Amino acid sequence: MDTSGTMLADRRVIRVAGDDPRGFLQGLVTADVGLVAPTLPAWSALLSPQGKVLFDFILWADGEDVLIDVEAAQAETLIKRLSLYRLRRAITIQHDEARAHWSRSGQQGVPDPRLAQLGRRWLAPAAQAATGWHAHRLSLGVTEGVAELGSGETLWLECNARELNGVSFTKGCYVGQENTARMHHRSKVNRRLVVAPFTEPSARTRITYPELNLMVEHRRVEALGDALVPAWLASALVDTPAH
């Protein structure tokens, strides 16, 4: 796969700063924000009270501030949603000039927190746009963003959050935590978001990528059919009872 450039042009960065931004986010998002470090970003999400994903993003540490690497089309909406929880707290939530960068290999940055095979990731000023990221991610069965995950439609564990390090089960309460924890402890993840070869869309189809001959679908675990089942997902399905 030929690649050039490094900047993920469809991503933007939000800076959360002020009065204990980690503590502010800790009670909202699925990752343990206390563990996020400059070399240890975390994939995370903001959920509905029912445990369905509204936004997914990668959290980065920058001193006392937290940077949120999110899809560009959702950045402004996420800022507004987080601001609703701010109340009178002295927290600022605003766009940052840094941009998300990616390389399939090399030494720059750190491994993608979801899956090392995704490549290296880092934040830096804007540069030449990357090519090859989208196809590479889908080839590994990893889904992200509203077009694939939906907004308020899909339970976070159905997005393979447990397998891709997108949720902490030890950090305490956050929005949507109760239902997410219940599913985890009962091992009741009956559906999964999967990448599959492109065919005629159906009711379970989220988005199609004809140019890549791929599509993203929301399928029951007992009916994955021709879906890509990479090793990281296969090991989880062995322990998932069909319902």
Side-chain angles (χ1 to χ4, degrees):
M1 181 189 303
D2 292 330
T3 61
S4 63
T6 61
M7 185 181 70
L8 298 177
D10 61 346
R11 307 288 293 185
R12 291 295 184 275
V13 175
I14 297 167
R15 180 177 293 272
V16 183
D19 179 16
D20 188 17
R22 287 175 181 261
F24 169 69
L25 291 171
Q26 183 77 327
L28 298 177
V29 305
T30 61
D32 188 340
V33 187
L35 298 179
V36 175
T39 58
L40 189 67
W43 188 45
S44 188
L46 181 64
L47 309 181
S48 71
Q50 294 75 34
K52 295 183 177 182
V53 59
L54 300 174
F55 308 89
D56 77 297
F57 37 76
I58 294 177
L59 301 174
W60 298 81
D62 183 21
E64 295 300 314
D65 298 353
V66 178
L67 300 178
I68 304 177
D69 163 7
V70 65
E71 62 178 319
Q74 296 300 312
E76 189 63 35
T77 306
L78 178 57
I79 289 174
K80 292 178 180 177
R81 178 60 67 101
L82 290 175
S83 296
L84 294 176
Y85 294 103
R86 183 176 53 188
L87 302 176
R88 295 182 180 274
R89 195 166 185 165
I91 290 283
T92 60
I93 308 167
Q94 56 193 9
H95 293 282
D96 192 84
E97 293 183 355
R99 300 293 294 272
H101 292 256
W102 163 79
S103 176
R104 189 171 179 179
S105 59
Q107 298 301 314
Q108 193 163 4
V110 297
D112 191 294
R114 293 166 289 187
L115 189 70
Q117 296 97 305
L118 284 169
R120 313 280 293 186
R121 200 173 183 111
W122 66 96
L123 301 181
Q128 182 181 353
T131 59
W133 160 249
H134 195 56
H136 181 57
R137 173 176 63 80
L138 290 170
S139 74
L140 293 170
V142 177
T143 57
E144 68 177 20
V146 168
E148 296 173 10
L149 309 187
S151 181
E153 303 170 44
T154 316
L155 293 164
W156 186 224
L157 296 190
E158 294 178 345
C159 301
N160 307 307
R162 178 170 52 194
E163 293 73 30
L164 295 173
N165 308 309
V167 59
S168 169
F169 296 106
T170 59
K171 61 169 281 185
C173 295
Y174 55 87
V175 179
Q177 181 266 344
E178 184 176 356
N179 198 30
T180 303
R182 184 184 302 115
M183 287 182 65
H184 168 65
H185 292 299
R186 295 181 179 179
S187 297
K188 288 190 175 181
V189 184
N190 300 329
R191 292 178 174 81
R192 296 279 182 166
L193 276 181
V194 292
V195 180
F198 174 70
T199 57
E200 186 68 24
S202 67
R204 61 186 185 177
T205 304
R206 285 295 173 80
I207 187 170
T208 63
Y209 300 106
E211 71 282 5
L212 299 175
N213 197 35
L214 295 172
M215 64 198 308
V216 173
E217 295 208 323
H218 189 217
R219 298 183 179 181
R220 294 192 64 86
V221 295
E222 70 271 20
L224 294 183
D226 61 355
L228 305 182
V229 183
W232 63 262
L233 179 57
S235 59
L237 293 175
V238 168
D239 300 322
T240 302
H243 295 274

